[in-house]
Amino acid sequence: MEGNHTVGRHRKPPVPKVRRGSVIALTSLVPAGLATVTGAADGSIAETLAGPLQHRTLTADADADVPRLEAAPAAEPLLKEAKQLLPPPPPEVKTVALPDGRVPADLPKGTLGMPGISEAAYHNAERILAAENPVCGMPWSLLAGIGRVESTHAFGGKADADGNALDPIYGPVLDGSLYGNNVIHDSDDGVLDGLQGYDRAIGSMQFLPETWKHYAADGNGDGIADPQNLYDAALTAGKYLCSGNLDMRDPAQQTRAILRYNHSMAYVTNVMAWEAAYNTGITPAASQLPRI
């Protein structure tokens, strides 16, 4: 008992011996709270509850084939709630083949003329990450800064209403022919970047295939993590930046995260300049955007 209180000793009355199936044994199954029910001040509530039980007990004694009282099975709603606690399955990682002739999303321009579909994808990623990883504190404006530097927001919002790029977005082939780029051999058999032999960056947020496969996220809830979908790309970028328990509210940790994208302080400066611009609505000056 709470507080370790002691109670006085009282002489216990003798406990009558009863048969397992007797009326007294069954009335002991009545929850104690029912004893306070009104209308039974003379104790008749026990008799009222015991009557049907006595009848059933006597009948069961007379006919051994009649099943006795058994515990009710667990309620189905509890099973459904338990299932809902399980994490969702990982998304299928692939690029979805879509028909030609799709038209750009018809959304109003966003902050500083940003395509509406792109801003919607960044805000969507911010909401999901706030719920899944609140420690990170990922702002939509940082994702927008990455998207601005990497692909100018899918080349000015060239994506349909579902966020799918109208044409696949690829970076240069990483075969060593372009000065300053590393040589990266094929890691996905061309499944994501459509290229054999070497890799190239994919989607509006320009992920390498190997990195995409590791962090791939489903931003639009269709069960697929497609680098050519703006919603998937924005959420995956957020997961990548947040990995390692980094906090984007700390400038030093944010810098570390951005350097994962491109190990260049000029790159970091550009991304942060655009992040600040989307927060303030003021376009960055040319002096704030060093050449990468």
Side-chain angles (χ1 to χ4, degrees):
M1 179 177 293
E2 185 179 0
N4 295 320
H5 295 301
T6 59
V7 295
R9 295 183 177 178
H10 298 279
R11 184 180 181 87
K12 294 183 179 179
V15 179
K17 295 182 180 180
V18 295
R19 280 196 311 113
R20 182 178 180 84
S22 70
V23 174
I24 297 177
L26 288 171
T27 54
S28 68
L29 298 176
V30 178
L34 292 178
T36 60
V37 176
T38 59
D42 58 353
S44 60
I45 181 65
E47 297 176 1
T48 302
L49 293 172
L53 293 174
Q54 180 183 21
H55 174 74
R56 179 161 186 169
T57 303
L58 294 175
T59 304
D61 287 340
D63 186 354
D65 294 332
V66 177
R68 298 184 182 275
L69 295 176
E70 297 180 357
E76 179 62 20
L78 295 179
L79 297 178
K80 292 181 179 178
E81 290 177 8
K83 292 176 183 177
Q84 291 173 357
L85 296 176
L86 298 175
E92 182 180 2
V93 178
K94 68 177 183 178
T95 293
V96 179
L98 296 170
D100 296 330
R102 290 172 294 120
V103 298
D106 184 19
L107 290 176
K109 294 288 186 181
T111 307
L112 295 179
M114 183 191 310
I117 187 65
S118 297
E119 185 160 344
Y122 303 137
H123 279 286
N124 180 69
E126 179 190 66
R127 287 191 297 269
I128 294 174
L129 290 167
E132 293 183 350
N133 187 3
V135 172
C136 180
M138 173 61 68
W140 74 272
S141 52
L142 173 55
L143 298 173
I146 296 283
R148 173 63 174 76
V149 175
E150 291 293 344
S151 68
T152 321
H153 308 304
F155 303 125
K158 291 183 179 179
D160 61 25
D162 295 323
N164 300 306
L166 299 181
D167 296 299
I169 301 172
Y170 298 122
V173 179
L174 299 174
D175 58 0
S177 61
L178 186 64
Y179 175 77
N181 282 357
N182 295 326
V183 176
I184 300 181
H185 293 281
D186 182 38
S187 65
D188 67 327
D189 294 326
V191 172
L192 295 174
D193 64 2
L195 186 69
Q196 297 282 346
Y198 296 93
D199 273 346
R200 55 181 171 178
I202 47 178
S204 61
M205 302 300 266
Q206 289 291 277
F207 274 90
L208 290 175
E210 187 67 23
T211 309
W212 179 267
K213 288 187 293 183
H214 185 75
Y215 292 97
D218 176 15
N220 60 355
D222 64 355
I224 298 171
D226 184 349
Q228 302 295 341
N229 179 275
L230 272 60
Y231 290 96
D232 294 351
L235 182 57
T236 300
K239 285 184 59 179
Y240 181 49
L241 293 167
C242 290
S243 61
N245 295 319
L246 294 184
D247 184 349
M248 297 303 106
R249 290 159 292 206
D250 179 352
Q253 294 187 56
Q254 185 179 125
T255 298
R256 285 173 54 196
I258 299 172
L259 284 171
R260 291 172 177 167
Y261 249 95
N262 188 324
H263 199 70
S264 160
M265 285 307 300
Y267 179 87
V268 172
T269 300
N270 273 261
V271 169
M272 287 186 166
W274 281 109
E275 177 190 6
Y278 293 132
N279 281 327
T280 62
I282 302 174
T283 302
S287 60
Q288 298 175 282
L289 302 171
R291 185 173 180 178
I292 302 172

